[in-house]
Amino acid sequence: MMRERVLTALIGIPLIMAAIHYGYVPFFLLTLAIITLGLMEFFGLMQLRGHRPFTGLGVAAGVLLVTTLFLNGVVPALPDRVLNPGIGFVISVLLIVLVLRAMSRANPDEAWPAFLVTAGGLFYVAWLLAHLMLLRELRPWGRPLTYFLFIAIW
């Protein structure tokens, strides 16, 4: 147990610090990997509790949500970006797709819980953690604030 923690720290700390330092794509990829693993863990825990979330759809939706937030809120090469309409449109489409998928369930009693668990995981894990990218890109204090956040949490 202790050996795994030490190995994780030896690999994870430099990786996270480098991603924070370089920002943009490296930090996006690290954030995307953390969110993907977090969503898979969340949906796995919900399955252990007896729920049946749409795991594949939920993870794909999380990746799409994070990528959209990155392209609309972080990338400096897109000067005409408008954050709210792009994100709002993607969230609307994702919720419609989740509702349609829930309605296609054979057992109607499982539709609403499956929708709620999947959408809940999407917003609880993906949406909240995606804001790390926006924090990192705040000017002029984004990088130091992100370092502080990770040091305080770790």
Side-chain angles (χ1 to χ4, degrees), residues 58-121:
V59 171
V63 168
L64 179 63
L65 185 65
V66 172
T67 304
T68 304
L69 189 62
F70 174 72
L71 293 176
N72 283 297
V74 175
V75 176
L78 301 174
D80 296 332
R81 67 183 183 266
V82 181
L83 179 63
N84 292 336
I87 295 297
F89 175 74
V90 169
I91 290 173
S92 299
V93 169
L94 291 177
L95 290 176
I96 289 169
V97 168
L98 283 174
V99 166
L100 292 174
R101 176 65 179 97
M103 290 172 34
S104 71
R105 279 263 162 112
N107 184 355
D109 293 336
E110 293 178 358
W112 186 243
F115 168 78
L116 288 177
V117 168
T118 306

Side-chain angles (χ1 to χ4, degrees), residues 27 32-33 35 40 43 57 72 83-84 86-87 92 98 111 120 132 141 145 148:
F27 194 68
L32 188 64
I35 288 171
M40 290 180 357
F43 293 138
L57 182 60
N72 283 297
L83 179 63
N84 292 336
I87 295 297
S92 299
L98 283 174
L132 288 173
W141 298 104
L145 284 172
F148 175 75

